[in-house]
Amino acid sequence: DGGITQSPKYLFRKEGQNVTLSCEQNLNHDAMYWYRQDPGQGLRLIYYSQIVNDFQKGDIAEGYSVSREKKESFPLTVTSAQKNPTAFYLCASSIRGLAGGPPDTQYFGPGTRLTVL
Amino acid sequence: AQSVAQPEDQVNVAEGNPLTVKCTYSVSGNPYLFWYVQYPNRGLQFLLKYITGDNLVKGSYGFEAEFNKSQTSFHLKKPSALVSDSALYFCAVRDASYNTDKLIFGTGTRLQVFP
């Protein structure tokens, strides 16, 4: 988990609220990723960013938004449009942002557990 | 399309015995393969990866994995299990022919090592 921090560790959201999950890395990595983890479903990619000011939708982007204004930061907003947001959210980063060639190892933060009340 | 399967939801093994956690994959080109481990309420930790070269890959904490192209498998192994190895293990794959950094993760296998 070293080098990637996520906050808060636990987050509670009321129906209709937007919440923002923080992800910061001090590894000087170009690429950053957001995953959602549900029991029995493994990890599913929400959004990823290969370089500052650019990001791409993953497999389950609906109801989520991101920004990448700084290299070290990739916050995820869970909007009220996400109907089932209760899950464990994991942020990851890797050295290179450019596609092509063997993938670099992704390193993960400790996660944020979001619960909808 | 690319996919990865972990056929066992849980693997139970006695401490000191060898362990195997299975992973099979499907890609159209050559695969890049990864193993990660997750302890409760924690992020994933990288164990090892196969990119090219030797079919037997050695990783962290005494783990190793064998790439078998004919069986499209990448099973994780350890000669002697420890109670502290009990965790959730994920296999991941990327098709080398895809121009993307996206990894596809399996659903995970829970390893339980009994004293």
Side-chain angles (χ1 to χ4, degrees):
Chain A
D1 297 346
I4 303 176
T5 58
Q6 291 185 242
S7 61
K9 187 170 183 176
Y10 298 97
L11 186 57
F12 298 91
R13 192 193 91 167
K14 295 181 181 179
E15 294 281 351
Q17 256 185 347
N18 292 356
V19 292
T20 297
L21 283 60
S22 169
C23 178
E24 304 274 335
Q25 54 99 357
N26 62 2
L27 302 170
N28 200 33
H29 286 175
D30 282 326
M32 297 186 75
Y33 312 80
W34 273 107
Y35 292 92
R36 171 179 171 143
Q37 184 178 13
D38 296 281
Q41 294 194 47
L43 275 68
R44 292 181 291 168
L45 183 64
I46 305 172
Y47 269 98
Y48 65 105
S49 169
Q50 294 178 315
I51 199 168
V52 174
N53 293 321
D54 185 54
F55 48 83
Q56 310 293 329
K57 291 183 179 180
D59 300 317
I60 55 165
E62 185 176 353
Y64 300 97
S65 66
V66 293
S67 63
R68 186 85 187 278
E69 297 176 2
K70 298 186 295 183
K71 186 176 186 178
E72 59 270 24
S73 178
F74 192 40
L76 174 74
T77 297
V78 184
T79 74
S80 57
Q82 171 49 238
K83 297 307 178 188
N84 185 24
T86 295
F88 192 50
Y89 289 87
L90 289 161
C91 178
S93 70
S94 62
I95 294 175
R96 289 181 314 126
L98 297 176
D104 290 307
T105 300
Q106 293 183 21
Y107 295 93
F108 285 79
T112 292
R113 187 166 297 281
L114 173 62
T115 302
V116 173
L117 301 175
Chain B
Q2 50 184 351
S3 65
V4 61
Q6 295 182 242
E8 300 158 317
D9 289 337
Q10 180 154 332
V11 170
N12 299 316
V13 64
E15 188 174 31
N17 283 1
L19 69 88
T20 299
V21 182
K22 295 180 180 177
C23 172
T24 59
Y25 65 89
S26 176
V27 297
S28 55
N30 291 319
Y32 299 129
L33 294 152
F34 294 77
W35 274 104
Y36 286 85
V37 60
Q38 184 180 36
Y39 296 97
N41 294 309
R42 301 289 299 276
L44 275 66
Q45 295 179 28
F46 169 72
L47 284 178
L48 52 81
K49 65 182 177 183
Y50 173 81
I51 301 299
T52 187
D54 289 340
N55 291 341
L56 186 63
V57 179
K58 293 190 182 296
S60 305
Y61 313 120
F63 284 94
E64 58 189 26
E66 186 169 10
F67 171 64
N68 188 317
K69 189 171 184 177
S70 63
Q71 297 186 6
T72 62
S73 67
F74 189 56
H75 301 332
L76 182 70
K77 299 181 180 183
K78 188 174 183 182
S80 178
L82 300 173
V83 173
S84 58
D85 292 329
S86 299
L88 188 58
Y89 290 80
F90 289 97
C91 183
V93 68
R94 201 202 95 191
D95 190 326
S97 63
Y98 279 33
N99 192 28
T100 173
D101 289 325
K102 289 172 58 176
L103 291 179
I104 304 300
F105 284 83
T107 53
T109 298
R110 187 164 302 281
L111 174 66
Q112 190 72 46
V113 181
F114 295 95

